[in-house]
Amino acid sequence: MATGAGGAIYNTGNLTVRSSEISSNISGVEGGGLANADLEASATIEASMILSNRSGSGGAILNDGSLQITDSVLYYNVAEDGGGMLSNRFGEAWVSNSCMMFNADTLTRANDILTRAGYEVDASGNWWGTNSGPAVGSIGGDVIADVTITSQPGWCTRDAIGPLPELPPPLGEVTPSPPMVHVPALTA
């Protein structure tokens, strides 16, 4: 469990995650898998799986900068308070051609995506676990979500995803440690 934001990755620079898995991480604060933690930070996630992460807010990802997610699976992430999959505080975020299912917020503010007023998340063109788009309570704030993918993609089935990693224990039951990776901003 990370003592601060970013259970696995704490990014304040430019980050690209491609064809990777970020799973079973915990942050006691925000961003169980990834904290894109600076207004100037940029993170791109492509063809990756973000599974079974836990945090106070943003079970999988906390975003304060620029975030783009494509062709990825965001599945079974848990936040204690806000955005089981993504908590967007101050940044811009785009999620497309991705699978977002079974994320949870224990206080039910937004199971998948929560964004602060005045900040928009474009989550068009994704599979939300049903052919009718995001469920009630799945999103909170200014989130654009449409129903352009109306049947479950083959790469988004339990058989394709494989066995889920075990969900990390509740926040009060683990010992804090620093994030596994810190991507600093480059200075000139």
Side-chain angles (χ1 to χ4, degrees):
M1 175 175 148
T3 52
I9 302 169
Y10 183 83
N11 179 44
T12 56
N14 293 312
L15 172 71
T16 298
V17 175
R18 188 174 293 121
S19 300
S20 298
E21 181 176 314
I22 300 171
S23 65
S24 302
N25 300 288
I26 303 173
S27 167
V29 185
E30 301 158 319
L34 163 67
N36 199 35
D38 186 88
L39 296 175
E40 300 298 318
S42 174
T44 301
I45 299 170
E46 300 171 344
S48 294
M49 295 181 25
I50 303 176
L51 311 168
S52 301
N53 297 286
R54 181 187 294 269
S55 74
S57 177
I61 301 169
L62 163 74
N63 182 49
D64 284 343
S66 175
L67 173 67
Q68 185 166 349
I69 301 170
T70 56
D71 304 321
S72 294
V73 175
L74 300 117
Y75 195 84
Y76 202 52
N77 298 287
V78 176
E80 304 296 319
D81 181 22
M85 192 277 289
L86 168 66
S87 178
N88 189 59
R89 290 192 309 190
F90 304 111
E92 299 175 324
W94 299 266
V95 184
S96 64
N97 200 41
S98 293
C99 173
M100 294 177 279
M101 298 189 316
F102 307 114
N103 297 295
D105 174 342
T106 58
L107 295 180
T108 63
R109 287 179 55 197
N111 287 332
D112 283 306
I113 300 173
L114 177 67
T115 188
R116 184 175 285 205
Y119 297 91
E120 185 177 274
V121 174
D122 185 343
S124 301
N126 295 290
W127 173 251
W128 296 84
T130 71
N131 61 3
S132 58
V136 174
S138 184
I139 56 177
D142 194 5
V143 178
I144 299 169
D146 62 14
V147 190
T148 57
I149 299 179
T150 57
S151 62
Q152 186 171 16
W155 53 267
C156 189
T157 64
R158 289 280 290 139
D159 288 339
I161 294 169
L164 287 176
E166 186 175 320
L167 188 64
L171 298 179
E173 298 178 13
V174 292
T175 304
S177 63
M180 294 186 327
V181 178
H182 177 201
V183 180
L186 298 175
T187 56

